[in-house]
Amino acid sequence: MSKFPVLHFPHRHLLGIDGLDAADIAIILDLAETYIEQNRADDKKRALLRGRTIINLFFENSTRTRTSFELAGKRLGADVINMSVASTSVKKGETLLDTALTLNAMHLDALVVRHPDSGAVKLLAEAVNCAVINGGDGSHEHPTQALLDALTIRRRKGRLHGLTVAICGDVLHSRVARSNIALLNIMGAHVRVVAPRTLLPAQVSRLGVEVFHDMARGLADVDIIMMLRLQTERMHGSFLPSIREYFHFYGLDHNKIARARPDALVMHPGPINRGVEIDSAVADDLDRSLIREQVEMGVAVRMACLDLLLRANTPMTEH
Amino acid sequence: MPATLFSNARLLDPWTHLDQVGELLAIDGRIAAIGAVPSAQVPQDTIRVDCRGNCLAPGLVDMRVHIREPGQEHVETIEGTSRTAVSGGITSLVGLPDTTPVIDDVSLVEFVTRRARKAGMVNIYTYAAATKGLDGATLSELGLMAAAGALGFTDGTAPISDSLVMRRLLSYARTFDQLVIQRPEDPRLAAGGAATEGEIASRLGIPGIPAAAELILLERDLRLVELTGGRYHASLISTAAAVHAIATAKTRGLPVTCDTAPPYFTLNETAIDGYSTDARLSPPLRAEADRLAIIEGLKNGTIDAITSDHAPVDQDEKRVPFIAATPGAIGLETLLPLVLALYHRGEMSILAALRAVTQAPAQILRLPVGRLAIDSAADLVLFDLDMPWRIGRRGLRLAATNTPFEDMSVKGKALKTFVAGRLVYGFDA
C-alpha cells in the first residue's frame, strides 16, 4: 500500500483552477506522473477505487474528454457509467437539480460534469453529495484540460515557472483559455493572448495576460503556443468575416511559428479544425506538436484527480 | 372612521421642508392638522398614537413594481404585493403592464384597478403598454387607457427600440399630456448578455452587456424628446454615462425625469461572483464607478426618484445556471431602509433621501400623494429611523425570496403604515 500513499488534498470538488494554489497543482501533477508509466504498461489497472461509482454526466457532446475520464476511472478500478443528456431535450434548470436528486439516490462517489452554461457545474455540485469534477462549463473553466496541459509542458520543459506561453484564438468563448490563464499565472508563467478583438473578453488583461492582436508579435520568443479551437457552435452572430481571413491572420503555420523560440512547442486541446486555426503540417509536426501527448497526459491527470478527490477525502462528510 | 391623532412625532415632509417634532391629526382619511393641534380640533373618539419620537412621513410612492397578477399568481398575487408593500411603508405603487395578458386594453386597466381596490390596503395604479402586446410596433389606445386611469405608458422591461415608433409614441402621448416611461437598453447591443461587461463577467464566462447599451438608447430617446416635446421618464438608470446624459438634457430644459433602484446605489458587479442568480438583474449590476455616479446623481438631483423595481421571481427560475436565470429582485420591504442608508452614510439629508420616494415620484406621476398637507390623503408611514435589522430570506414576507441583499445589515423599519387614515400595517417586534 505504501506505493499508493493517501495524499492530502483539501478540496471536496474540482470545479475550477480558481480556488487551487501552487501546492494543490503540484500534488495533482506529481501524482499524475506516477500514472503515466502505469498507463503504458500491459496491465493498466489498479484496484485503488474498487467498488466506487463514477458517472460521466455530459450535457454537451464530447468524445475525447468523456473517453479520457472513462479510462481514468476504469484504470483505477472504479465502475464508470456514461450519461449523455442531449441539451435540446433539457429544459434548463429544474431538470439540472432534478438530475442531482436522482443521482444522490444512486449513491455515487464522483460525478464528472460537462454543461454548456457557465456556472452550471457549481450549481450541481451544491446539490449533490459526492465529489464533482468540472469537465467543462460553458465559457468558464475546464480545469483538467489546464492540468493536463501543465503536465505536458512540465515534462517537456522541466518547469512552468518563467516560461512564456501564447494562447491564441477564440479566447472569448474558451473555458480552456480561462483555466490555462489561471493555472499558468499561479505557476509563475508569463501568459499572452493573441486574437482579434472580437474574440477577446472585456478587460482580458485583468485576468493576468499580455494582449496581442498580431500573431507575429504575439508569438515572438514564446516557449509554448497554445492554439484554441474556433468555437463556431458558441458564436451567436458574426465575430469574423470568414474562415479564410481568420486563417490568414491567426491560423498557425510554419511561417508564424518561426517568430517563436526555436524550441517552441505547439499545443491544442482538440478536436482540431485543420486549416482553420492550425495548418495540418504544424499539427502533425512531431518536433513541434504536443497534441498527441496532451491526450495521453489527459488520462493520467484525470486519474490523479479522481484518486485525490475519492481517496484523500475518505470518508466523505456532508457539507 | 374615527380620527387619529399622532403625537410626539418627528414630522418629515420633503415637499414643505418640514422636519420638526409635533402632532398630526387625520380626520376622515385626510390630514386635518399638522404641527401643534389645538385640542378643540380633536374629535371625541379620536384614536391616539404616541409616536415616541419616531419619524412620521408621507407613505412611500413606488413608481415601478412588477405585479405578477394576472398571469403569475403562483409567484405573487396583487394581495400579496399589497401586504408586502405596506409592511415596507409604501402606500402608493404603480404596476408595470408586462403581465399575462399584457395591460394593453381599457378592460385590463380596469381589471387591475378593480382587483387593487378589492385587495384594499394600498393605492395601486398601473401603467399601460405603450405598444399593443408589447410588440414594439403598434401604438396602443393611449388616450382611452389614460382616461381609464393608466398613469403612463411603457413596454415595461422591453425597451422600445424602433426610433420611428418611439417618435410617434412621444408625439402621440404629448397630445394627451401623458408620460412615456422607458428602461433604456439597446436590445441588439445587449443581446445574449447577462452581466455588465467587464472583468467579473469575463472571469465567469458570462456574456456581457456594455454600459454603452444604456447610454445609446437613452441618448436617442433624448433626441426624440427634443424633436417631439413628449414627457419622458427613464427608468432604472444604472451607469455614470446615463446620469451625465440626463443631467445635460435637464440643463437644456427637456421634459425629462429618471429613477434608479436600490441595487444600483447599494451593490456593484461583484455581487454576482459565484454565479449568484439573485444578483442577476436587468439592467445588470454595474462597476463601482457607476454605483458612485448613481449616488452623486441622487445627491445633485439629476436622478429624481428611487423605485423598488420589485420583481418577484419563482425559485425554479433562479435555481438554474446564471445565464438561464430570470432577472429581477424583490424590493418592497427593503426600499425604505436602503433609501435611509443614503442618509445614515451621510450621503444625503433625510429629507432629500425621502423626497426620492415621496414627493419626486408623486410629482412625476402627478398624483396628489407623497406629502404632508392639509386635506391631502392621510397616507403615512411611522418609522424607526435607527432600528437595526438584518435582511434575510426568512424574515421577508413573500413567497418569492430573490433578494441580492441577503444578510445585509440595515437601519430603519416601518412601524405602522396608514392609507387614507386607516392602519394597514403594524410592526410586530
Side-chain angles (χ1 to χ4, degrees):
Chain A
M1 286 316 282
S2 59
K3 200 181 162 200
F4 301 108
V6 174
L7 295 155
H8 178 63
F9 189 68
H11 301 279
R12 178 180 158 77
H13 307 297
L14 179 64
L15 300 180
I17 299 299
D18 185 27
L20 301 183
D21 59 25
D24 296 328
I25 291 165
I27 286 171
I28 298 170
L29 300 186
D30 291 346
L31 183 60
E33 292 271 7
T34 69
Y35 287 121
I36 296 170
E37 283 312 308
Q38 180 185 322
N39 287 337
R40 288 175 179 172
D42 287 339
D43 181 5
K44 300 176 175 62
K45 202 155 171 171
R46 293 286 177 277
L48 292 172
L49 298 183
R50 208 169 98 178
R52 306 296 187 90
T53 310
I54 300 167
I55 287 190
N56 288 331
L57 179 63
F58 278 58
F59 293 87
E60 256 185 4
N61 291 332
S62 159
T63 311
R64 49 180 64 218
T65 305
R66 202 201 60 213
T67 308
S68 183
F69 270 110
E70 186 177 354
L71 275 178
K74 285 182 170 164
R75 285 181 181 170
L76 292 171
D79 295 315
V80 184
I81 292 157
N82 292 321
M83 269 175 74
S84 290
V85 189
S87 19
T88 45
S89 70
V90 179
K91 191 178 162 286
K92 287 174 191 171
E94 271 165 300
T95 317
L96 196 57
L97 292 183
D98 286 345
T99 308
L101 292 178
T102 309
L103 294 170
N104 278 344
M106 293 177 183
H107 301 289
L108 301 185
D109 297 285
L111 190 62
V112 178
V113 188
R114 169 168 289 191
H115 196 283
D117 290 339
S118 303
V121 178
K122 175 178 183 279
L123 183 69
L124 200 60
E126 286 163 0
V128 296
N129 44 32
C130 66
V132 174
I133 295 179
N134 184 354
D137 64 322
S139 305
H140 179 222
E141 281 235 40
H142 190 357
T144 58
Q145 178 71 42
L147 288 162
L148 75 88
D149 288 343
L151 183 62
T152 310
I153 298 170
R154 203 178 73 166
R155 281 172 63 85
R156 282 300 195 94
K157 297 285 183 190
R159 67 197 163 104
L160 293 162
H161 188 88
L163 295 178
T164 302
V165 181
I167 301 177
C168 309
D170 186 2
V171 177
L172 178 64
H173 298 96
S174 177
R175 52 201 177 208
V176 173
R178 284 176 183 72
S179 286
N180 264 313
I181 290 168
L183 185 146
L184 291 167
N185 267 293
I186 292 168
M187 302 310 277
H190 306 293
V191 189
R192 298 176 180 181
V193 293
V194 190
R197 291 173 194 271
T198 49
L199 292 181
L200 288 174
Q203 297 183 8
V204 65
S205 61
R206 302 275 282 271
L207 308 189
V209 298
E210 211 182 331
V211 183
F212 293 85
H213 306 295
D214 177 273
M215 281 289 264
R217 284 192 208 171
L219 296 187
D221 300 321
V222 301
D223 298 286
I224 301 288
I225 304 168
M226 277 188 183
M227 297 306 295
L228 298 171
R229 203 168 66 81
L230 200 60
Q231 292 189 281
T232 43
E233 73 278 8
R234 277 182 211 288
M235 293 187 181
H236 302 288
S238 181
F239 288 81
L240 298 167
S242 73
I243 298 297
R244 185 173 74 160
E245 177 156 327
Y246 183 70
F247 185 76
H248 179 79
F249 290 103
Y250 296 98
L252 189 66
D253 57 23
H254 275 115
N255 285 335
K256 293 188 183 108
I257 294 180
R259 300 294 188 128
R261 288 174 57 96
D263 60 349
L265 298 169
V266 176
M267 306 175 78
H268 191 297
I272 57 178
N273 297 318
R274 288 170 188 270
V276 177
E277 69 262 350
I278 191 163
D279 189 42
S280 276
V282 173
D284 300 332
D285 181 348
L286 292 177
D287 296 330
R288 291 281 193 186
S289 169
L290 296 177
I291 296 173
R292 256 168 289 180
E293 206 167 318
Q294 286 173 275
V295 178
E296 183 186 1
M297 294 307 123
V299 180
V301 154
R302 287 167 181 131
M303 288 170 81
C305 293
L306 287 169
D307 186 359
L308 286 169
L309 288 176
L310 289 180
R311 286 204 308 143
N313 289 342
T314 312
M316 296 292 278
T317 48
E318 292 294 319
H319 66 159
Chain B
M1 186 167 59
T4 309
L5 178 68
F6 300 87
S7 58
N8 195 19
R10 180 178 173 187
L11 301 167
L12 292 169
D13 181 34
W15 208 303
T16 52
H17 307 282
L18 177 70
D19 181 359
Q20 66 173 64
V21 175
E23 296 172 314
L24 185 145
L25 179 68
I27 302 178
D28 293 332
R30 307 207 152 262
I31 296 174
I34 303 165
V37 179
S39 50
Q41 209 184 332
V42 181
Q44 281 240 296
D45 57 347
T46 294
I47 299 169
R48 285 164 196 275
V49 177
D50 180 357
C51 299
R52 297 176 187 173
N54 284 308
C55 300
L56 188 67
L60 274 44
V61 181
D62 187 352
M63 64 182 295
R64 189 179 178 90
V65 175
H66 298 258
I67 295 178
R68 298 305 190 196
E69 181 179 345
Q72 281 193 286
E73 289 84 350
H74 65 286
V75 179
E76 192 169 295
T77 58
I78 287 180
E79 205 210 327
T81 308
S82 306
R83 260 189 289 114
T84 312
V86 295
S87 76
I90 295 162
T91 53
S92 295
L93 62 87
V94 194
L96 290 165
D98 39 6
T99 45
T100 319
V102 171
I103 312 295
D104 63 356
D105 188 90
V106 170
S107 62
L108 289 157
V109 173
E110 285 167 349
F111 166 83
V112 175
T113 319
R114 200 165 56 241
R115 285 286 293 126
R117 210 177 303 127
K118 214 170 152 197
M121 267 190 279
V122 62
N123 305 312
I124 296 186
Y125 303 91
T126 188
Y127 298 124
T131 66
K132 205 76 184 153
L134 310 178
D135 71 357
T138 326
L139 290 193
S140 56
E141 295 170 322
L142 266 59
L144 290 174
M145 289 195 288
L151 281 193
F153 296 87
T154 176
D155 275 2
T157 49
I160 293 166
S161 64
D162 186 314
S163 306
L164 183 58
V165 172
M166 192 52 158
R167 181 202 176 159
R168 287 186 182 145
L169 174 63
L170 284 163
S171 194
Y172 190 75
R174 191 184 172 192
T175 313
F176 297 91
D177 197 18
Q178 289 298 308
L179 182 67
V180 171
I181 298 136
Q182 167 106 303
R183 181 185 71 85
E185 184 179 82
D186 183 320
R188 287 304 304 151
L189 193 52
T196 202
E197 189 170 288
E199 183 187 344
I200 306 266
S202 291
R203 270 183 203 285
L204 294 175
I206 296 171
I209 300 174
E214 179 167 294
L215 181 65
I216 287 171
L217 209 59
L218 177 64
E219 286 196 320
R220 181 210 64 177
D221 287 351
L222 295 172
R223 296 294 160 187
L224 294 174
V225 168
E226 194 168 15
L227 192 63
T228 60
R231 277 204 294 139
Y232 176 85
H233 178 83
S235 214
L236 301 182
I237 291 302
S238 67
T239 60
V243 175
H244 181 71
I246 295 273
T248 309
K250 285 185 168 182
T251 310
R252 291 168 62 217
L254 296 181
V256 169
T257 52
C258 73
D259 69 61
T260 189
Y264 306 108
F265 58 80
T266 310
L267 303 172
N268 63 27
E269 59 183 328
T270 58
I272 69 164
D273 219 354
Y275 298 99
S276 169
T277 55
D278 284 339
R280 171 147 193 217
L281 307 177
S282 181
L285 291 169
R286 303 291 189 181
E288 177 63 6
D290 291 307
R291 186 185 75 87
L292 296 173
I294 297 297
I295 293 175
E296 202 50 44
L298 285 164
K299 282 162 76 169
N300 65 29
T302 302
I303 301 176
D304 304 89
I306 298 170
T307 71
S308 73
D309 191 36
H310 175 73
V313 174
D314 207 27
Q315 233 195 20
D316 291 344
E317 290 166 33
K318 283 291 191 185
R319 294 201 65 193
V320 294
F322 192 87
I323 191 146
T326 302
I330 54 172
L332 295 172
E333 286 164 279
T334 47
L335 180 62
L336 178 63
L338 293 172
V339 167
L340 291 177
L342 292 165
Y343 159 72
H344 285 302
R345 288 198 301 257
E347 280 152 348
M348 292 174 86
S349 73
I350 183 146
L351 288 181
L354 286 175
R355 179 175 295 119
V357 283
T358 55
Q359 180 190 352
Q363 278 181 317
I364 294 165
L365 299 168
R366 299 179 174 172
L367 287 173
V369 296
R371 66 178 100 175
L372 300 185
I374 306 291
D375 274 345
S376 69
D379 294 349
L380 304 165
V381 57
L382 176 67
F383 64 91
D384 182 331
L385 182 59
D386 296 307
M387 185 192 286
W389 60 289
R390 185 183 290 253
I391 299 169
R393 290 172 208 286
R394 262 174 303 173
L396 300 174
R397 7 189 97 236
L398 290 161
T401 56
N402 51 302
T403 174
F405 303 115
E406 167 96 345
D407 282 336
M408 184 176 286
S409 291
V410 289
K411 281 200 282 185
K413 183 122 194 149
L415 302 174
K416 285 180 162 67
T417 307
F418 298 83
V419 172
R422 193 163 63 92
L423 178 70
V424 288
Y425 169 75
F427 174 61
D428 234 339

